[in-house]
Each structure stands twice: as C-alpha cells, then as structure tokens.
Amino acid sequence: MTRWITITFLGTAAGTPTRNRSLPSILVSDARRNILLDCGEGAQHRLIQSGLSVCRVDIVLITHLHGDHVFGLPGLISSMALLGRTRDLIIVGPPGLRDMLSSSVKFLGSLPFKTFIIEVDPKESIMKIIEDSELEIYCTEARHNITDIAYLLQWRVPLGKFRPECAQRLNVPTRYWKALHVGEKVVLENGKVISPEDVVELRRCGPFRIVYTGDTSPCESVIELARGADVLIHEATFSAEEDPACIWPQGHSRTIDAAEVARRAGVRILILTHLSARYEGMEDKLLQEARSVFRNTYIANDLDKYYIEIYP
Amino acid sequence: MTRWITITFLGTAAGTPTRNRSLPSILVSDARRNILLDCGEGAQHRLIQSGLSVCRVDIVLITHLHGDHVFGLPGLISSMALLGRTRDLIIVGPPGLRDMLSSSVKFLGSLPFKTFIIEVDPKESIMKIIEDSELEIYCTEARHNITDIAYLLQWRVPLGKFRPECAQRLNVPTRYWKALHVGEKVVLENGKVISPEDVVELRRCGPFRIVYTGDTSPCESVIELARGADVLIHEATFSAEEDPACIWPQGHSRTIDAAEVARRAGVRILILTHLSARYEGMEDKLLQEARSVFRNTYIANDLDKYYIEIYP
C-alpha cells in the first residue's frame, strides 16, 4: 500500500513562462502511479529534469484547454512513442480535448500504445471519474472563463493503529480488518455494524486527499471538493493588491482568495502555483499575503518536490 | 547596416529532450531581425532564458513537421497573443504546416496580430523565399523521411575597405558606391561595367551566409546550398560508430557525415546540433570524430551564443 506521495511541481508559471518558471504541470506520484496534473509546454523536459522517464506517466488530468495548460501534450505523446511506450495512456479533460489533440497527434503516425481520452463536464457537481483498489479521482467544475475542471485525488489509507484485540473482542472476522483499517464501516453476518473507530486508534478521520484547481476564481464548488483535504494546490495568479472586480471575472484568484478558500475548506496545507510573471522575485511578499489568511501556505517553484507521508 | 549576427541555440536535442538539451530551435539575430529556425517544444522558454521577449521574433522557419521541431509553435503564438503583440508574424515551412497549426491556434481565439503561413516545397532546387534590402532567405530540400527544408540566410555585407579614390578615378557616381561595396557589379551610363574589386580592397568574396539543415542524411542539395557559407549548422544525430546503412535511410547524419558535407561545401565554420540523447556527456568524443574530417567544428549546447562579426 502506498505510504508516501511525492508532488513535483514541473511548471508554476501563468500564461507565459518566465526565466525560472515553466508552464503549468504537476506530477503526483505514489508507489504505483504517476499522475500528471495539466501538461503545459515543457512538461516533458521538466519531467526528465526531475528524474522521471516520460514513459512512466500513467494518467494525465487536464483542467482546461488554454494553451499554457495543454500544449505540452502532443510533445509528451510524441516522446512516449519515440521511446517505445506500449502501455495505455489515460488522458482526462474537458470537452474539446479530443479535437484539440487529434490534429497534432495525426502527425505522429500510428502510436505504439493506446490513448484513452476521457472528456468530462461536471457542471459544479462532484463526479467520480476513476477508481481502483486504492485511489479514487473526483472532479468538479471550477470558475474560469472557459470550462475548468478541479480534480480531487483520494487515497484510501489506514486511519491509525489497528487494534486486533478490539476486533477479536467484537468477533470481527479478519477478512474485514483491512476495510475497517482504511475507514470503511462493515456489516457482520449477524447484522452488527462495526465502525473504524471501534477497532482503530484513529489518527486520521478519512482518506488522504489532494485537490488541484487549475485556473479559477474563488468558488464554492472548489471549497466543497477540497473540504478537509490534506493538500490544496490552488492557483494564485495575482497579488492581494489587485482589484478582485478585475481578477475574478477573468476566472483567476489572488493569493488571499486562495488562502480564504483553504481556510474555509479546512485543508491541511495550501500550495500556491500559477504565479503571474509580474511577480518574478516577489514570492516572499505573495507568501506573506496568503499566510495572513491561512498560515500553512507554501509557494511552489519549478522542480520543488513535496514528500508527504500519507498515513501515520 | 547589420555588423554582428548572434546565433543562439535554444534547443539542441534530437527527438526527445534530455536533462540539459531542449528540443530543436535556433535564434538568429541581426541588428534588425530575430529569426527562429525551427520551434521545438520549449523554444519560448529558452527564448526568455536567453533574454529575448517572444514578441521580438519576426520570422519562423520550420524545416519539417516532426513534433520535436514544431510543437513549440502553438505556445509561442499563444504567448505573443497574451503579451499583446500586434506586428505580423511570418512562418515558413513545408506543406501541411497550416493544417497542423490551425487546430491549436483556433483554441487561442482571435489573435491581436496576423500570422502569414507560407508553405514551400522546393524539391531539391534552390528557391528564394524572402528578400529585403539586406537579407535574402533561400531554401532547398534536404533528405529526411518526410519533407525537410534546409534554409540559407544571406546578408549583403561590405566585401572589404571601400577605396573612394579608385571610384573617383573610374568616374563612378557616389550613388553606385554602396552597391559596389556589398558586391554588386554596376553598369554606368556610358556602358562601362564596374566590378566590386575595382573599388573595394576585397576581404570577402561574397555575402555572409548561414545554412541550417534540419534533419537530413548527407546530401548534394545541402552541399550546394552551403557552398562557401560562413556557418553551416548541420544535424549530427549519431556518432561515427553507427552504421550509415541504418542511419542514412532514416534521414539522419553521423558527426563525420556532417563534417564531410562541411568539407565538400567549403564552409568556414560547422556547428553540430540535434544530438541523440544516447550521447549525453559524450560530446567531446563526437567533436573529435567530426574534427578528424573538418577541423573548424563546434558542438552546440543549449543557450550557447555565437557572436559573429559578419564583415571585416
């Protein structure tokens, strides 16, 4: 079972690259999967610089179809083909993604692997889009000037120390222990309901969750998706000094907007990304703004890695 | 009149990026123009790292439509639009370029500038495609597994020290002096033909010329285009140790192939680029191979700048 998650920021700029910031892309890796959140131009180069072969990406989640978040996809697919990838690739994004990719990809000739392009259009409700034995991926619509999908990655993790003596005392068969340990209620054959807290010394109250917004103004749907999340990666294109009456209608956030979303959602850590080029070298100021609202805030730089132990 | 040319290598990898090499793109700048040769993914980021705003690119010359040479174009155009470029942009490339760009560019909405996409198909003859008062751009077909256009950039430059006393002695009106100085013959009103060597202490025998191949196996059409050039930028995807019977049919060259082309064309400087990832850290070996055939060879690294005084 995955114990550590690594979040690698591959690109942290907004719109156009800066000297040190490439275009938006974030790699989330666990013991078994590599998930790319957005794929701005240059993502494949940053992947290599971070030490990962492009072929090892399993799933790409695209928030929206602005070029800075998606123009790295044709090159990523091209390199995977050149390097002889054979495993399927799953790409999820908003409606129009397939159309956008088709003309570039046709220039690559026939690929040695299958790409499954899944278009989703959640319209502010929370949708489950991918599920396996350990990980579930949900999404909702954020608030940008085109459809932007915010994603939630959720790992079932042990909620604390399992107490076999409690399970035995309650006559819980061992086949239920794992489910209880990761937070599921079970119903025994005799109809008795066993809750995780009956057999686990709780140190977490639920699964491990990472939420990524893409481009958005502060909005209720993201707060709902991020409720109680461990990590919220929120865009913060602008400083607190900007006028929200200008920023919000463009579908962007200020540092303090992202921090307020984090505060209201009750997340554990807020990481800001997607910084406008105008703030090059002024990251400390941005960080202070955000921390005045939400203390546990960080600002991502390209190739920053966050290693997170996902259960106690 | 332009006196210095700068050649900045923005990306020097082949096919896929490596830790230190981005995908193919070269910036050629003179006093008045910035010309991009190929536009692989990441070109705009490297441009910024080299100190140039993406908006200052005037002309883009694409050699062929493999992704590694062209997937940086949508992002470049997108950033130009975001940064408010209004000047026209000229993009030259092989047939299919317009089609390839159209679907990406339509996602950018209406651009605040015009893009002129010129498709050329020279079929091994030498074609002039752009001309102004100082610069001419020619092209020919190189030899790759899809149409690849090699480009020649040619600046009219003074061929040496102008001798006004000679011109006066020959009764050449001053209005002809500049043309003679940069190498043109002139016919006076009395029918007398005056050659540059009559009035110029020659130190060059013709215009300043840079040739760039894109991807190619060694071929006669490139040798013809590069005849007497000052700088030949030739691909060298592979080491001399590879079997040409494998390499050439793919439309690629070895170090010694590029050097042999330079030797036969009689160029002044050869710069190798487009190095396969397998040679990361082995550049010295590649350089020795090439220099065994053509002494004045260099290997390009990302962000290398060659400053060249183009007339004496």
Side-chain angles (χ1 to χ4, degrees):
Chain A
M1 184 172 275
T2 292
R3 177 130 200 182
W4 288 84
I5 300 275
T6 314
I7 304 174
T8 309
F9 287 85
L10 302 173
T12 58
T16 60
T18 68
R19 195 172 276 270
N20 297 316
R21 295 183 189 276
S22 187
L23 292 167
S25 188
I26 301 164
L27 178 72
V28 178
S29 301
D30 68 16
R32 296 193 298 181
R33 306 164 195 82
N34 292 289
I35 300 166
L36 210 55
L37 305 173
D38 279 332
C39 188
E41 185 183 344
Q44 62 164 324
H45 200 184
R46 285 287 196 236
L47 268 175
I48 291 164
Q49 289 171 332
S50 81
L52 194 89
S53 162
V54 296
C55 288
R56 294 199 44 218
V57 172
D58 301 288
I59 301 172
V60 183
L61 305 175
I62 298 293
T63 58
H64 65 296
L65 297 186
H66 280 154
D68 56 328
H69 291 250
V70 74
F71 281 165
L73 261 180
L76 182 80
I77 294 170
S78 168
S79 290
M80 286 173 171
L82 279 170
L83 296 171
R85 179 196 181 99
T86 54
R87 282 186 308 129
D88 299 341
L89 176 67
I90 296 170
I91 307 175
V92 182
L97 175 64
R98 198 174 287 120
D99 184 28
M100 184 182 229
L101 277 179
S102 63
S103 74
S104 303
V105 171
K106 83 178 178 203
F107 280 88
L108 304 178
S110 68
L111 297 173
F113 57 93
K114 288 203 196 91
T115 53
F116 293 99
I117 300 175
I118 303 168
E119 295 186 346
V120 291
D121 197 1
K123 298 280 180 228
E124 296 189 27
S125 61
I126 294 179
M127 270 176 64
K128 187 191 283 186
I129 47 174
I130 290 178
E131 175 172 15
D132 67 22
S133 62
E134 188 181 35
L135 173 71
E136 293 168 353
I137 302 178
Y138 296 83
C139 67
T140 191
E141 192 179 4
R143 196 183 291 162
H144 194 44
N145 55 11
I146 59 170
T147 300
D148 180 286
I149 302 172
Y151 291 96
L152 160 64
L153 279 58
Q154 176 168 299
W155 284 260
R156 261 189 290 267
V157 294
L159 300 190
K161 186 167 164 43
F162 192 80
R163 308 302 297 260
E165 69 280 13
C166 298
Q168 281 159 346
R169 192 181 332 119
L170 294 165
N171 294 317
V172 181
T174 51
R175 66 177 180 277
Y176 294 123
W177 289 15
K178 194 172 168 192
L180 283 160
H181 198 184
V182 298
E184 290 170 27
K185 285 187 177 177
V186 302
V187 183
L188 303 186
E189 279 69 10
N190 61 11
K192 191 171 167 193
V193 178
I194 307 290
S195 296
E197 56 268 33
D198 298 331
V199 293
V200 179
E201 202 175 276
L202 288 180
R203 295 189 53 190
R204 293 187 56 88
C205 58
F208 182 86
R209 284 179 283 182
I210 296 175
V211 168
Y212 170 55
T213 61
D215 289 7
T216 189
S217 53
C219 65
E220 295 300 322
S221 58
V222 167
I223 293 172
E224 205 47 52
L225 191 73
R227 181 92 49 213
D230 292 270
V231 182
L232 170 61
I233 304 168
H234 200 293
E235 77 117 292
T237 313
F238 295 105
S239 150
E241 286 169 3
E242 296 295 321
D243 180 1
C246 294
I247 301 308
W248 293 355
Q250 296 171 32
H252 287 298
S253 299
R254 302 169 299 164
T255 49
I256 52 172
D257 298 328
E260 178 65 14
V261 168
R263 193 190 65 73
R264 286 190 53 206
V267 307
R268 199 152 63 89
I269 301 172
L270 169 66
I271 307 176
L272 303 179
T273 187
H274 200 270
L275 277 62
S276 166
R278 71 181 72 172
Y279 304 113
E280 187 90 327
M282 296 163 64
E283 288 81 357
D284 280 353
K285 176 180 175 310
L286 300 183
L287 192 58
Q288 281 170 24
E289 291 173 4
R291 285 189 172 170
S292 72
V293 177
F294 186 80
R295 179 96 200 95
N296 209 7
T297 302
Y298 300 87
I299 287 183
N301 295 304
D302 278 29
L303 295 175
D304 276 357
K305 283 193 193 217
Y306 290 75
Y307 299 91
I308 305 173
E309 193 173 21
I310 66 174
Y311 60 90
Chain B
M1 184 173 277
T2 293
R3 179 134 199 179
W4 288 85
I5 300 274
T6 313
I7 304 174
T8 309
F9 287 86
L10 302 173
T12 58
T16 59
T18 67
R19 194 171 275 270
N20 297 315
R21 296 184 188 274
S22 187
L23 292 166
S25 188
I26 301 164
L27 179 72
V28 178
S29 302
D30 68 15
R32 295 194 299 181
R33 305 165 196 81
N34 292 290
I35 301 166
L36 210 54
L37 305 173
D38 280 331
C39 188
E41 185 185 343
Q44 62 163 326
H45 200 184
R46 285 286 197 237
L47 268 174
I48 291 165
Q49 289 171 332
S50 82
L52 195 88
S53 162
V54 295
C55 288
R56 294 197 46 217
V57 172
D58 301 288
I59 301 171
V60 183
L61 305 175
I62 298 292
T63 58
H64 65 295
L65 297 186
H66 279 155
D68 55 328
H69 291 251
V70 75
F71 281 164
L73 261 181
L76 183 80
I77 294 170
S78 167
S79 289
M80 286 172 170
L82 278 171
L83 296 170
R85 179 194 180 101
T86 53
R87 285 185 307 129
D88 299 342
L89 176 68
I90 297 170
I91 308 174
V92 182
L97 175 62
R98 196 174 289 120
D99 183 28
M100 185 182 230
L101 276 179
S102 62
S103 75
S104 302
V105 171
K106 85 177 177 203
F107 280 88
L108 305 178
S110 69
L111 296 173
F113 58 92
K114 288 202 195 91
T115 53
F116 293 100
I117 300 175
I118 303 169
E119 295 186 348
V120 293
D121 197 3
K123 297 282 181 222
E124 295 189 27
S125 62
I126 294 179
M127 272 176 62
K128 185 190 284 187
I129 46 173
I130 290 178
E131 176 172 15
D132 66 23
S133 61
E134 188 181 36
L135 174 71
E136 293 168 352
I137 302 178
Y138 296 84
C139 68
T140 191
E141 192 180 3
R143 195 182 292 161
H144 194 44
N145 56 9
I146 60 169
T147 300
D148 180 286
I149 303 172
Y151 292 96
L152 160 62
L153 280 57
Q154 175 167 300
W155 284 260
R156 263 190 290 269
V157 293
L159 300 190
K161 186 167 162 46
F162 192 81
R163 308 304 298 260
E165 69 280 14
C166 298
Q168 280 159 348
R169 192 181 331 118
L170 294 165
N171 294 317
V172 181
T174 51
R175 67 177 179 278
Y176 293 123
W177 289 16
K178 193 172 169 192
L180 284 159
H181 199 184
V182 298
E184 290 170 26
K185 286 187 174 175
V186 303
V187 183
L188 303 185
E189 279 68 11
N190 61 10
K192 191 173 167 190
V193 177
I194 307 291
S195 294
E197 55 268 34
D198 298 332
V199 294
V200 179
E201 202 174 276
L202 290 180
R203 295 187 55 189
R204 292 187 57 89
C205 59
F208 181 88
R209 283 179 285 184
I210 297 174
V211 168
Y212 170 56
T213 61
D215 288 6
T216 188
S217 54
C219 65
E220 296 301 321
S221 59
V222 166
I223 293 173
E224 205 47 54
L225 190 73
R227 180 93 48 214
D230 293 87
V231 181
L232 170 61
I233 304 167
H234 200 294
E235 76 118 289
T237 314
F238 295 105
S239 150
E241 287 170 2
E242 296 295 321
D243 179 1
C246 293
I247 301 309
W248 294 354
Q250 295 171 31
H252 287 298
S253 299
R254 301 168 301 164
T255 50
I256 52 172
D257 298 328
E260 178 65 13
V261 168
R263 194 190 64 74
R264 286 189 52 206
V267 307
R268 199 153 63 86
I269 301 172
L270 169 65
I271 307 177
L272 303 180
T273 187
H274 200 270
L275 277 63
S276 166
R278 69 180 75 174
Y279 305 113
E280 187 89 325
M282 297 164 64
E283 289 81 357
D284 282 353
K285 176 181 176 307
L286 300 182
L287 192 57
Q288 281 170 22
E289 291 173 3
R291 286 188 172 170
S292 71
V293 177
F294 185 80
R295 179 97 200 94
N296 209 6
T297 304
Y298 300 87
I299 286 183
N301 296 305
D302 278 28
L303 296 174
D304 275 358
K305 284 194 192 217
Y306 290 75
Y307 298 91
I308 306 174
E309 193 172 21
I310 66 174
Y311 60 90

